[in-house]
Amino acid sequence: MKFNTRAIAYGFIATVVVGILSGFALPFTNVTLPTVGYVLTGIIGGLVAGYIVTTGPADGALNGLVGTTLGGIIVAIGLVIMNVLFAGVFFGLTVFAAAVVIIALAGIPGAIGGALGSMLHDRSAARRTRPAA
């Protein structure tokens, strides 16, 4: 099992982008963007990381797990800081406690997405090498 820093970076970026975009809200209104759950965010980040890995589903799962966990940490830190600043310390610390559990569970969908992404990459590579009819 090998770490691929490029795959981890892409999975990290995908997780952060999807995580931040799903948490945006317009200030002083009740309008928010559609919320994407942490499971789907982890799967998307894992798919991106796994698709970059070319050494098999096990390495895709490992890199997806690491990429989505790091991305989840950054998103959680940002959300906790925003909650402390705008909602108060107590609510911010409550969000922090929930974020620890969510980060611990976010790696599982990331690993699944990483394995699936690696398998998709292998399948598309096999299609490219097949001669046209």
Side-chain angles (χ1 to χ4, degrees), residues 2-98:
K2 296 187 318 183
F3 288 109
N4 184 338
T5 55
R6 190 171 130 220
I8 291 172
Y10 284 164
F12 168 78
I13 290 168
T15 303
V16 169
V17 167
V18 172
I20 288 176
L21 287 179
S22 69
F24 273 152
L26 297 176
F28 306 113
T29 65
N30 289 331
V31 180
T32 59
L33 292 176
T35 302
V36 177
Y38 290 103
V39 172
L40 189 58
T41 302
I43 289 175
I44 291 171
L47 276 171
V48 170
Y51 195 81
I52 303 298
V53 175
T54 58
T55 56
D59 285 341
L62 176 69
N63 289 299
L65 174 99
V66 173
T68 56
T69 302
L70 291 176
I73 290 169
I74 297 301
V75 170
I77 288 171
L79 290 175
V80 167
I81 289 172
M82 290 299 171
N83 280 315
V84 167
L85 291 176
F86 296 114
V89 176
F90 177 74
F91 188 68
L93 293 177
T94 306
V95 169
F96 174 73

